[in-house]
Amino acid sequence: MRETEITQAVLDWYDIHAREMPWRVGPADRRGGARPDPYAVWLSEVMLQQTTVAAVRDYFHRFTARWPSVGDLAAADDADVMGEWAGLGYYARARNLLKCARVVAHDLGGVFPDTREGLLELPGIGPYTAAAISSIAFDRPETVVDGNVERVMARLHDVDTPLPAAKPELTVLAARLTPDRRPGDYAQAVMDLGATICTPRSPACGICPVMEACAARKSGRAADLPRKTPKAAKPVRLGYAYVGRRNDGAWLLERRPEKGLLGGMLGWPGSDWSDAPLPAPPVSADWADLDAEVRHTFTHFHLRLKVMVARLPDASNPETGAFVPHSEFRPGDLPTVMRKVFDLASQSPRVN
């Protein structure tokens, strides 16, 4: 198959098998003149960074119901946005989401740039996201390469170079197949192909629209590609988390610094996270060790937190954090690791 034939075969397959997504304008509607909402495309692409489609759907629905336009999001309180983002992870994305929305709303009249170069000028938008938005929202012939596309290209061309070293090579190969006609549909088509047919394990080669052109299928190596350089083992860090509650029901919480892990998110006061953390209670109290720990994995390390609980007197004057009335406390606003701490601590009669 020639390159143009491969591209057309992928588009023909997508016209029939395109996944339905709340932010997507399907191929039939697109042929009928419907155009994607750049705000929806941008929001979904930011949410989808290092996150699965299944995890993002509900968050996307909640965000667009609460903030239907980029102007609405730009006017939102930071704490509200961070609360809605809780549980989705990689919290720098939420901070950059607000920064970007405010630039678009205040400096660009609520209109997203329609080119990759223009989009790269916005906070939180890197090369991949700029290419995806310009292609999907504005039908620019940009090469969009995510993990699904890397896998399709590696197998289609039987690329033996392991990732991440193979990324430049795979991008060049993907660019050769990116068409000038229907580039937005094509970008989504290749990603769908990787997600549903050319899957990481047990690829369904027998129903692939480009199986005749797939070099890895012919060599019998499709299931083994792409190769990946082994990752180093993640280190383990330790820490303390302190869950304190006053007699009137208020919870002692802190908002983490803007920069750093879980930046801007609500959480429980605690120690540093290191090999040998020292106890760091936020206020003098009869802290009880639950004799249990919370375990959580971040991108670069595993975390194990010792959970301490205490009933605090009404006159408590904490060195860090502030009391939040029980009526205003929403556990769902906590990031996942802090929610795990709450779930464990809430079993203790000291804070019930």
Side-chain angles (χ1 to χ4, degrees):
M1 296 175 74
R2 297 193 301 268
E3 289 174 350
T4 54
E5 292 175 326
I6 293 173
T7 298
Q8 190 58 52
V10 172
L11 280 169
D12 290 344
W13 172 85
Y14 179 72
D15 285 342
I16 299 171
H17 300 287
R19 291 181 294 174
E20 292 186 5
M21 299 181 182
W23 50 83
R24 175 180 285 180
V25 174
D29 291 334
R30 204 152 179 160
R31 285 195 299 272
R35 289 292 175 263
D37 177 3
Y39 171 65
V41 175
W42 162 73
L43 181 60
S44 67
E45 286 297 334
V46 173
M47 288 182 167
L48 286 165
Q49 293 169 11
Q50 300 176 293
T51 310
T52 65
V53 169
V56 163
R57 286 181 186 271
D58 288 345
Y59 282 89
F60 180 85
H61 281 304
R62 290 203 302 271
F63 263 73
T64 51
R66 190 167 182 180
W67 303 295
S69 72
V70 69
D72 295 321
L73 183 58
D77 290 337
D78 289 35
D80 290 340
V81 174
M82 299 304 289
E84 286 292 353
W85 193 276
L88 197 54
Y90 301 99
Y91 295 100
R93 293 181 297 168
R95 298 194 299 274
N96 285 327
L97 193 79
L98 274 169
K99 293 176 184 176
C100 184
R102 287 163 183 166
V103 169
V104 173
H106 301 153
D107 300 344
L108 302 179
V111 178
F112 280 87
D114 63 358
T115 64
R116 180 179 180 274
E117 293 73 21
L119 288 160
L120 280 170
E121 297 295 320
L122 297 176
I125 295 185
Y128 165 77
T129 305
I133 297 170
S134 58
S135 174
I136 296 169
F138 301 108
D139 240 8
R140 300 283 187 181
E142 298 290 349
T143 302
V144 183
V145 182
D146 70 349
N148 287 313
V149 178
E150 288 176 345
R151 186 166 57 256
V152 171
M153 294 301 125
R155 290 172 175 172
L156 190 60
H157 299 280
D158 203 10
V159 174
D160 193 60
T161 307
L163 287 167
K167 286 179 179 289
E169 181 181 358
L170 298 176
T171 299
V172 169
L173 293 170
R176 285 165 41 182
L177 296 176
T178 301
D180 291 329
R181 176 180 168 272
R182 298 181 65 192
D185 278 348
Y186 175 77
Q188 295 172 101
V190 183
M191 289 189 280
D192 276 15
L193 186 66
T196 63
I197 300 294
C198 197
T199 51
R201 295 180 179 84
S202 303
C205 298
I207 57 173
C208 178
V210 293
M211 62 180 176
E212 296 302 326
C214 183
R217 175 177 176 269
K218 293 174 183 176
S219 70
R221 301 203 312 153
D224 300 325
L225 296 177
R227 293 178 55 214
K228 295 183 179 180
T229 301
K231 295 181 180 179
K234 292 181 180 180
V236 175
R237 296 182 187 175
L238 309 176
Y240 291 85
Y242 295 87
V243 180
R245 191 178 191 187
R246 281 192 321 213
N247 292 322
D248 63 1
W251 300 88
L252 179 58
L253 292 154
E254 67 175 4
R255 191 165 294 280
R256 296 177 65 86
E258 287 296 319
K259 293 184 178 181
L261 207 57
L262 307 182
M265 299 298 294
L266 274 179
W268 306 106
S271 68
D272 64 329
W273 298 344
S274 63
D275 294 336
L278 296 175
V283 64
S284 179
D286 183 18
W287 293 98
D289 186 346
L290 286 184
D291 196 25
E293 65 181 17
V294 162
R295 298 190 177 194
H296 189 75
T297 296
F298 292 99
T299 305
H300 301 298
F301 66 93
H302 301 293
L303 177 65
R304 294 165 57 182
L305 290 176
K306 183 181 289 290
V307 179
M308 312 293 290
V309 296
R311 179 68 70 170
L312 305 177
D314 293 343
S316 294
N317 186 22
E319 296 180 10
T320 183
F323 285 99
V324 176
H326 179 68
S327 60
E328 299 177 13
F329 172 56
R330 297 194 308 168
D333 285 352
L334 298 171
T336 302
V337 63
M338 296 298 174
R339 180 60 186 270
K340 289 180 180 178
V341 171
F342 172 75
D343 289 342
L344 182 61
S346 61
Q347 300 173 25
S348 169
R350 283 177 172 254
V351 294
N352 277 338

